[in-house]
Amino acid sequence: MATMAVTANKLPPRRRAKLAGTLSVFMAVGIASSAQALDWRLEPSVGASATLTDNVNQSPDNKESALILEVSPGFTLQSEGSRRVEATMSYYLSGVARFGGDDDNDINHNLNATGKAELMEDFLFVDANARVSQDLISLVGSPADAAINDSNRATAASYSISPYIQRRFGSFADGEARYTLSGVFFEENVASDLLNNEFSASLNSGSRFNTLTWGLGYSFREVSDRDFGVSDTSYTYERADLSLGYALTRKFRLIGNVGHEWVEYDNDLAAANNRDDTIWSAGFAWSPSRRTSLEASMGERFFGDTYSLSASYRARESDWTASYVED
């Protein structure tokens, strides 16, 4: 396929606006009182492109030429001036006109929004994000961008809201408890819409523990299939574990984890895959210098053996990491 593209972008000068309380509108985070005093930076933008292709359908035997024109007005909105609230939203609307091929027009929405707020100092926090994009439907179909050929693309939207608390118990331990509500939705029922409820909690040893370190963890996840499609994929997953570490020397430490996990499916046919099994792993962590570290472990879960290996090296002007995980 031969393709020629010309693009143009124009970014107007930055504008600042005092937008009282708008964090709650576009991020669903905003009950933080400090949001009322936020500064916001608004950056409008507009992009345009022209693409000429000799195979708009990405087909080996049905090649058609087409001229594709696209205009993409948008904006970025970003919070400033607050240590306790951070939020960014980028949005653009893509208008596409195709001349040749199917001679059709499209309007696509694209959104990427993230935010976090400290509602109570050093205790209560909330994270949130939202996303709208045109994603691939099948890995064996056309990989072209939605502006070129949208036959293998569908608009997908996802969101997540996650309040959590963090508490330090002196030098004894650090604790966290988090709840997450999230979902993903697809247009034209190309895949099942999913709703996720999740709770997790952890308690890890503090600075008081040097030779022997420990950690307690618990998580529960409930995934609901909102429109079953071929079959109901709803399930619940639960896990509880204990992690331990023992320093043989200042540079070499033994590490291990033991726990239990449960998987339960709502669908009667899938219930044959329900699990109630013990999990474990054991290995070592080695830090020969302040710049170098190596960690390796092996273990077992319900599906078989697990392996993990990671290494890192910090040079004067770069960081190097390598990892391998089989899980």
Side-chain angles (χ1 to χ4, degrees):
M1 181 182 73
T3 301
M4 179 180 67
V6 179
T7 63
N9 288 279
K10 180 181 180 182
L11 293 177
R14 293 182 177 179
R15 302 178 183 176
R16 294 178 179 269
K18 198 84 164 182
L19 305 179
T22 53
L23 184 61
S24 61
V25 175
F26 75 85
M27 283 306 306
V29 196
I31 54 174
S33 60
S34 58
Q36 300 295 329
L38 283 178
D39 288 330
W40 296 85
R41 185 176 72 230
L42 176 64
E43 296 184 11
S45 64
V46 60
S49 69
T51 302
L52 180 63
T53 174
D54 65 352
N55 190 0
V56 68
N57 297 317
Q58 307 251 299
S59 171
D61 50 18
N62 184 27
K63 297 182 180 181
E64 293 185 81
S65 299
L67 172 65
I68 301 157
L69 304 179
E70 181 181 14
V71 177
S72 303
F75 66 89
T76 298
L77 187 64
Q78 184 172 3
S79 67
E80 292 183 332
S82 174
R83 182 187 64 84
R84 298 180 60 178
V85 178
E86 297 180 13
T88 302
M89 180 175 70
S90 297
Y91 168 82
Y92 70 90
L93 181 147
S94 174
V96 180
R98 301 181 185 91
F99 302 94
D102 293 334
D103 280 329
D104 58 351
N105 302 313
D106 272 330
I107 293 181
N108 296 317
H109 300 275
N110 291 269
L111 170 73
N112 188 13
T114 61
K116 58 183 180 179
E118 183 178 7
L119 305 181
M120 297 177 62
E121 189 171 3
D122 295 330
F123 180 71
L124 178 60
F125 306 82
V126 63
D127 295 340
N129 63 73
R131 180 175 177 268
V132 177
S133 60
Q134 285 70 53
D135 293 347
L136 285 173
I137 299 173
S138 170
L139 295 179
V140 298
S142 168
D145 184 88
I148 305 296
N149 180 355
D150 64 353
S151 62
N152 192 35
R153 295 277 177 168
T155 298
S158 63
Y159 73 93
S160 173
I161 302 174
S162 181
Y164 62 99
I165 59 175
Q166 291 181 335
R167 177 70 185 274
R168 173 166 293 178
F169 300 93
S171 61
F172 176 74
D174 297 325
E176 178 179 303
R178 179 187 290 265
Y179 168 74
T180 302
L181 172 66
S182 60
V184 58
F185 309 95
F186 301 90
E187 70 168 350
E188 300 176 357
N189 297 321
V190 298
S192 296
D193 296 341
L194 299 177
L195 179 67
N196 177 62
N197 283 277
E198 185 171 356
F199 173 78
S200 62
S202 63
L203 186 67
N204 296 303
S205 59
S207 57
R208 181 188 306 182
F209 299 87
N210 293 317
T211 302
L212 177 65
T213 57
W214 53 269
L216 298 171
Y218 172 79
S219 63
F220 175 85
R221 180 169 68 248
E222 180 184 51
V223 178
S224 300
D225 192 331
R226 309 306 288 178
D227 54 344
F228 299 159
V230 177
S231 62
D232 184 5
T233 60
S234 303
Y235 70 93
T236 58
Y237 176 81
E238 191 173 8
R239 172 172 174 158
D241 56 16
L242 165 68
S243 60
L244 295 171
Y246 185 78
L248 295 178
T249 69
R250 290 177 54 192
K251 298 180 178 180
F252 190 85
R253 176 181 296 271
L254 298 177
I255 56 176
N257 181 283
V258 63
H260 210 90
E261 62 183 346
W262 301 264
V263 183
E264 183 175 344
Y265 293 90
D266 289 2
N267 184 284
D268 291 337
L269 293 177
N273 295 310
N274 289 352
R275 300 294 178 182
D276 184 349
D277 288 296
T278 300
I279 57 176
W280 67 269
S281 67
F284 68 88
W286 180 44
S287 300
S289 70
R290 300 173 68 179
R291 295 178 176 270
T292 307
S293 66
L294 175 68
E295 185 172 310
S297 67
M298 64 173 295
E300 187 177 54
R301 291 181 61 189
F302 65 83
F303 52 80
D305 296 334
T306 64
Y307 303 93
S308 174
L309 176 67
S310 64
S312 66
Y313 175 73
R314 188 176 73 253
R316 178 171 298 179
E317 296 182 353
S318 62
D319 291 332
W320 298 83
T321 61
S323 65
Y324 172 80
V325 175
E326 188 172 327
D327 201 349

